[in-house]
Amino acid sequence: MPYPQLLSELDLGFTKLKNRVVMGSMHTGLEDRFWHYPALAEYYRERAKGGVGLIITGGISPNREGWLLPFGGTLNSVFDLRNHRKLTRAVHEEGGKIAMQILHAGRYGYHPFVVSASAIRSPISKFTPRALTRAGIERTVRAYARTARLAQRAGYDGIEIMGSEGYLLNQFLCRRTNHRTDEYGGSIENRMRLAIDVVRRVREACGERFIVIYRLSLIDLVEGGNTWDETVQVARALEAAGVTLINTGIGWHEARVPTIVTSVPRAAFAPLTARLREAVHVPVIASNRINTPELAESLIAQGGADLVSMARPLLADPQFVVKASEDRADEINTCIACNQACLDHTFRNERASCLVNPRAARETELVYRTTQRPLSLAVVGAGPAGLSAACVAASRGHRVTLFDAAETIGGQFNLARRIPGKEEFAETLRYFESQLRKHGVDVRLGTRVDAALLASARYDEVIFATGIMPRRPAIPGIDSAHVLSYVDVLRGAPVGRTVAVIGAGGIGFDVSEFLLHRSGDPLPQPRDAWLAEWNVDLAVAEPGGLARTRHEAAPERRIWLLQRKKGKLGAGLGKTSGWVHRATLVRQGVKMLDGVTYLEIAPRGLKIARDGIEQWLDVETIVVCAGQESLRDLVPASAAAGGPRFHVIGGAALASELDAERAIREGAELAAAL
Ligand code: FAD
Ligand code: NAP
Ligand code: SF4
């Protein structure tokens, strides 16, 4: 059997999990409105069908004070049972197990009723919390127990108590947010009193034969967090209070250390789970940036964890476990940790989905049915848009020929994967390759399509996914030899030690990171180097696990990153990842200038004006990252020739605001409709 440890059963005494894969809690936005529960049920059904051992739902608040957002999902009355039973029934019908996460947001709530241990506002909510009184604490404990009991009545196999990421219970646990002087503040025994009371009362309410998971913060990554010894003390007390499993939480939401974005090395924090496992008897769950069955297997095989939690990887591929168990891991649509369609959506208050799997949380809307009328299709362009269209169309039974002028599939993803910290993007191309093979797509690489080629074959329909051309702004001197486009740079053109980057969108930031990478340093970045760069001490000797001495390295190049508009550079980057890119560049001394007018390029560099003042940036190389324009010169000829019906998708349809999320989604939606 492949992955024998990962796929082995776990006996919890009163119940068994069929394997060690836990789908971690992930808020999709469907949880918050009861009329979305049928769609949410189908979302979970697909994951249960895909073989995951235990599903943990998105966070459900125990009361109004605990809402993350106004009118968030709740389970605090018998009237909610009907909706929740839709979820548990769907999972059980597929032979799965499901636990409901109880999440009290505390001061992270974005509404006026917020409460916490002390009245200290968080940097990520504008609402100052009210410090809970003793009576308020007792009401909160009762609310947890009531919600857990209702979850049991709704058919859940267990609950997870969210105690990490800086939510309410974590706020009580740490001095950072707990300044109380009563029996809930001061020593760690007092600070953990609420968490322990919650577990004890939940256990009393639900009995012994019910899974109770506690998600414990193993490293807070904020000043005023806990030390390792305190965390172990809490874990042992939780165990004594009756938890079945301990899940791992890493870092508070307000921490300035990235914990799950793509540049975080895989399993970067897993050593902490391994250490905790030595200190307790209950099974422990590893989490954060674990996205392949190989990695999950090795963590368990080496004794680093009993189970592995994967939230986003199960969003990206509901069949993760089935594919692993059938030795088809090369067919897994791997989560690339981009956060673009999941967490970034959630933070914009939109429904979560997945960049590489646009069906995620839209299972009832985007359906790939076998076609009754197979067509002969030509797809021109094997970038993300064309690949997505070709694979979905072929999976439905259409005959697909896919062309690309390049010798490899992938379009701009071949450039994206060269950016330090974006190595995961190669996984998407590996996935698409497996799908092209599986569904028998006729792939013709090194073939530049023109109108004559299309006319010479009899296609029923043609899909143009020809992408974009980099924009070349009309600056005097732009044709000089020391001006390069981002494409030249990422393909290896020599670049000087001083550089001006024109354009500070996603690509301007990425290219700056590429240029800062020291030649000879390995990629992907090894874990220890990454931890040192972000000041993380996995020993958690200091409160919160932030090392005392900051790691400083001399930058490889001096870079000026420029944009014409006024305002912060990188404002358009993803909510959950943009700050990481900005912090990386600032740390390496990149000068960011806004409100720039480009006047002239000459051998000495680039002449700009800001606020009416002209200046020369004396640089050896100028790199243009000034956005893109659609490449669609084939479209008018096809329209004029009156040939087969055609469609235009991805960058070829619209270059502005283009990203891979839109490109892949458009390809899939079109192919689902043909
Ligand atoms: P493309 O990827 O441009 O593909 C078009 C394909 O068509 C190419 O392979 C081309 O060779 C082929 N083609 C063109 N004309 C012809 C012809 N006549 N005959 C045959 N073939 C033809 N997006 C994100 O969402 N997140 C990111 O983090 C991200 N990072 C990026 C980093 C970099 C450095 C770059 C360059 C891009 C990044 N992107 C990112 C953008 C993302 O890659 C694009 O949005 C996406 O590739 C667009 O897909 P597409 O299929 O429309 O076009
Ligand atoms: P972009 O985000 O549109 O940025 C283009 C930049 O060029 C802007 O800074 C723009 O700012 C400048 N610009 C535009 N026209 C110009 C002109 N005529 N002269 C000089 N400057 C000009 O595009 P991109 O950086 O090329 O990225 C393409 C797409 O890939 C983006 O939509 C992005 O979503 C995606 N991407 C995403 C990520 C990610 O991490 N999520 C990373 C890379 C790429 P001013 O007009 O103010 O100068
Ligand atoms: Fe993973 Fe990106 Fe999909 Fe989120 S959107 S699940 S991070 S691939």
Side-chain angles (χ1 to χ4, degrees), residues 340 355 380-386 403-406 410-413 415-416 419 422 425 447-449 465-468 486 490 507 510 631 634 650-652 658-661 663:
Q340 282 177 239
L355 179 141
V380 187
F403 296 96
D404 203 292
Q412 294 175 67
F413 257 36
L415 301 176
I419 306 298
K422 280 196 173 175
F425 281 56
T447 309
R448 181 164 290 283
V449 173
T466 42
I468 51 85
Y486 65 85
L490 296 175
I507 292 180
D510 274 357
L631 180 60
L634 279 174
L658 170 70
D659 61 12
E661 180 189 348

Side-chain angles (χ1 to χ4, degrees), residues 406-426:
E407 295 295 338
T408 50
I409 64 161
Q412 294 175 67
F413 257 36
N414 289 305
L415 301 176
R417 63 188 281 192
R418 293 187 191 160
I419 306 298
K422 280 196 173 175
E423 295 81 10
E424 294 281 11
F425 281 56

Side-chain angles (χ1 to χ4, degrees), residues 338 340 344 412 416 419 422 425 471-475 486 502-510 562-566 572-574 577-578 581 595-596 598 624-629 655-660:
C338 63
Q340 282 177 239
D344 285 348
Q412 294 175 67
I419 306 298
K422 280 196 173 175
F425 281 56
R471 181 180 290 128
R472 209 156 170 82
I475 304 168
Y486 65 85
I502 294 180
I507 292 180
F509 268 79
D510 274 357
L562 314 168
Q563 73 177 23
R564 297 174 303 176
K565 60 178 113 31
K566 281 264 186 198
L573 298 178
S577 56
H581 294 298
V596 171
Y598 306 109
V624 181
C625 304
Q628 297 130 354
E629 278 150 18
S656 90
E657 311 264 307
L658 170 70
D659 61 12

